[in-house]
C-alpha cells in the first residue's frame, strides 16, 4: 500500500462534515458544532487550515499527495477559477432556486447525491442533467466509508447510486466520488481509483447544513467571500435555505472579484 506523509503539526483546522440518514426522510447530523474546530489533522477526517485570505488553504494532504490517487481538494492554479459543488442528501425546497441561480450565471454545478435524494427527487435529478450539471456519487447510505474494509462493500455503496441514477435518467453517472462527512482512508482512495472513480474533497465550505441553525447572509458572505481563492472547489449543501437565498448574489460578487465558474470535468482531466 502506498505511504502517505501526513501533516501532524498543530494547525488550526476546520473540519466540515454532514451526514444524512435516509430513513423516513430524516436528516441526521453526526458532527456537532463543537467538532468543527480542532487542532490537528490525520487520516480519517478531511481538514483545512486557512492561513492567508485569498489563498488556497492547507489541507491535511497536499494536492500532490492526493493526485497519486486521482483525488483533489483544489486546482493548483493562480487563475481565478471556481468549481461549484453541492452535497445533496435530501430535498427540502431549496434545490430549485439553486438551479435557477446556476442557470442565470451559466455555471455548471456538480451535485454529489445519495440514495435518498435519488429515490425521493427523480424529477430534480432529471432537471440537473437536462440543464447540463454533473451528478456525482456521494454513496447510497452516506456511511463512514473509512470504516469499510472490503472492496466489495465499498463498490456496492457506489454502484447502487449508479444503478438508480441510470434508471432515472437513462444516462451513466460521472465517476466522481466525495466521501461522506469527509471521512476517508488511503485504502478508500485506492479502491475508488481502482473502480475508475476520481475523489473530490473541497477547499472552501462553511457550516450551512444545520436546518434549524441556518447562517445569516452576513455570516455566509464573511466566510465565502474572504476565503475564496484561485482553483477553489467550493462545497455547499443544497438543503441550505441560506444558500438558496444568497447564491445569485454570491455568484455575482465572485464574478465582480474576477472569478469565473468552471466544470469539475475540467479539473478531472488534470488528475
Amino acid at each position: 500500500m502506498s505511504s502517505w506523509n501526513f501533516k501532524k503539526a498543530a494547525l488550526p483546522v476546520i473540519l466540515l462534515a454532514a451526514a444524512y440518514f435516509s430513513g423516513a426522510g430524516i436528516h441526521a447530523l453526526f458532527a456537532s458544532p463543537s467538532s468543527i474546530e480542532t487542532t490537528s489533522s490525520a487520516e480519517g477526517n478531511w481538514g483545512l487550515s486557512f492561513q492567508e485570505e485569498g489563498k488556497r488553504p492547507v489541507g491535511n494532504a497536499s494536492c500532490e499527495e492526493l493526485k497519486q490517487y486521482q483525488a483533489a481538494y483544489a486546482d493548483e492554479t493562480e487563475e481565478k477559477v471556481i468549481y461549484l459543488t453541492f452535497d445533496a442528501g435530501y430535498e427540502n425546497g431549496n434545490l430549485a432556486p439553486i438551479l435557477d441561480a446556476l442557470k442565470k450565471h451559466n455555471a455548471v454545478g456538480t451535485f454529489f447525491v445519495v440514495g435518498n435524494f435519488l429515490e425521493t427527487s427523480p424529477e430534480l435529478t432529471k432537471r440537473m442533467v437536462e440543464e447540463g450539471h454533473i451528478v456525482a456519487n456521494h454513496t447510497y447510505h452516506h456511511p463512514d466509508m473509512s470504516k469499510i474494509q472490503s472492496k466489495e462493500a465499498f463498490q456496492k455503496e457506489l454502484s447502487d447510486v449508479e444503478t438508480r441514477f441510470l434508471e432515472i435518467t437513462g444516462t451513466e453517472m460521472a465517476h466522481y466520488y466525495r466521501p461522506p462527512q469527509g471521512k476517508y482512508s488511503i485504502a478508500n482512495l485506492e479502491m475508488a481509483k481502482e473502480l475508475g472513480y476520481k475523489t473530490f474533497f473541497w477547499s472552501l465550505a462553511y457550516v450551512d447544513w444545520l436546518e434549524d441553525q441556518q447562517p445569516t447572509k452576513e455570516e455566509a458572505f464573511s466566510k465565502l467571500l474572504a476565503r475564496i481563492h484561485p482553483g477553489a472547489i467550493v462545497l455547499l449543501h443544497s438543503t441550505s435555505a441560506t444558500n438558496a437565498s444568497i447564491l445569485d448574489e454570491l455568484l455575482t460578487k465572485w464574478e465582480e472579484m474576477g472569478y469565473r465558474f468552471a466544470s469539475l470535468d475540467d479539473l478531472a482531466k488534470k488528475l
Side-chain angles (χ1 to χ4, degrees):
M1 182 176 294
S2 301
S3 62
W4 194 314
N5 295 319
F6 286 103
K7 297 175 176 65
K8 297 295 186 179
L11 296 172
V13 177
I14 297 174
L15 298 177
L16 291 151
Y20 300 96
F21 178 70
S22 60
I26 298 172
H27 175 240
L29 182 73
F30 294 116
S32 65
S34 62
S35 72
I36 300 302
E37 300 288 345
T38 184
T39 56
S40 64
S41 59
E43 178 182 14
N45 293 287
W46 181 244
L48 297 169
S49 170
F50 288 87
Q51 301 182 345
E52 186 178 350
E53 186 171 318
K55 299 293 185 181
R56 184 174 67 245
V58 176
N60 58 331
S62 70
C63 291
E64 283 305 309
E65 288 168 331
L66 288 172
K67 197 170 185 179
Q68 64 184 305
Y69 304 102
Q70 291 191 299
Y73 81 97
D75 187 356
E76 286 189 290
T77 181
E78 293 305 313
E79 182 185 357
K80 285 191 167 184
V81 59
I82 297 171
Y83 303 93
L84 299 170
T85 73
F86 301 83
D87 284 2
Y90 66 104
E91 166 52 20
N92 63 350
N94 293 313
L95 184 55
I98 286 173
L99 291 173
D100 292 342
L102 293 174
K103 187 174 185 178
K104 179 177 177 180
H105 290 265
N106 196 30
V108 175
T110 299
F111 292 85
F112 289 91
V113 300
V114 301
N116 176 65
F117 181 86
L118 294 175
E119 296 296 347
T120 60
S121 308
E123 293 307 314
L124 281 170
T125 302
K126 291 177 185 176
R127 179 181 169 185
M128 291 174 186
V129 174
E130 290 167 358
E131 296 186 357
H133 300 296
I134 299 166
V135 181
N137 210 315
H138 202 34
T139 74
Y140 198 88
H141 296 102
H142 203 280
D144 178 349
M145 294 292 277
S146 68
K147 294 180 179 179
I148 293 181
Q149 303 298 317
S150 76
K151 186 176 179 180
E152 292 74 20
F154 185 93
Q155 182 173 14
K156 183 168 174 54
E157 278 292 335
L158 300 182
S159 63
D160 284 355
V161 175
E162 294 172 18
T163 299
R164 190 69 187 102
F165 178 78
L166 179 60
E167 290 171 350
I168 292 169
T169 67
T171 61
E172 297 286 342
M173 170 173 274
H175 275 209
Y176 304 156
Y177 159 66
R178 172 165 286 159
Q181 307 176 65
K183 292 183 178 294
Y184 67 98
S185 67
I186 303 303
N188 286 169
L189 297 178
E190 290 181 332
M191 288 179 206
K193 182 180 177 181
E194 289 168 5
L195 292 170
Y197 271 85
K198 295 180 179 181
T199 301
F200 290 98
F201 294 97
W202 58 88
S203 62
L204 176 58
Y206 76 120
V207 182
D208 62 350
W209 62 82
L210 294 169
E211 217 178 340
D212 58 349
Q213 297 180 43
Q214 281 291 288
T216 65
K217 169 183 169 179
E218 292 72 25
E219 289 169 340
F221 280 177
S222 71
K223 297 290 195 303
L224 298 172
L225 297 179
R227 290 176 174 172
I228 196 63
H229 56 275
I233 297 178
V234 177
L235 162 59
L236 301 172
H237 285 82
S238 65
T239 56
S240 167
T242 296
N243 290 341
S245 67
I246 71 168
L247 190 60
D248 179 19
E249 185 178 355
L250 175 65
L251 299 185
T252 298
K253 287 182 178 296
W254 278 337
E255 288 170 330
E256 291 171 348
M257 294 169 70
Y259 285 91
R260 69 174 182 88
F261 310 114
S263 167
L264 200 63
D265 285 341
D266 296 341
L267 178 55
K269 293 172 184 175
K270 300 181 180 182
L271 301 179

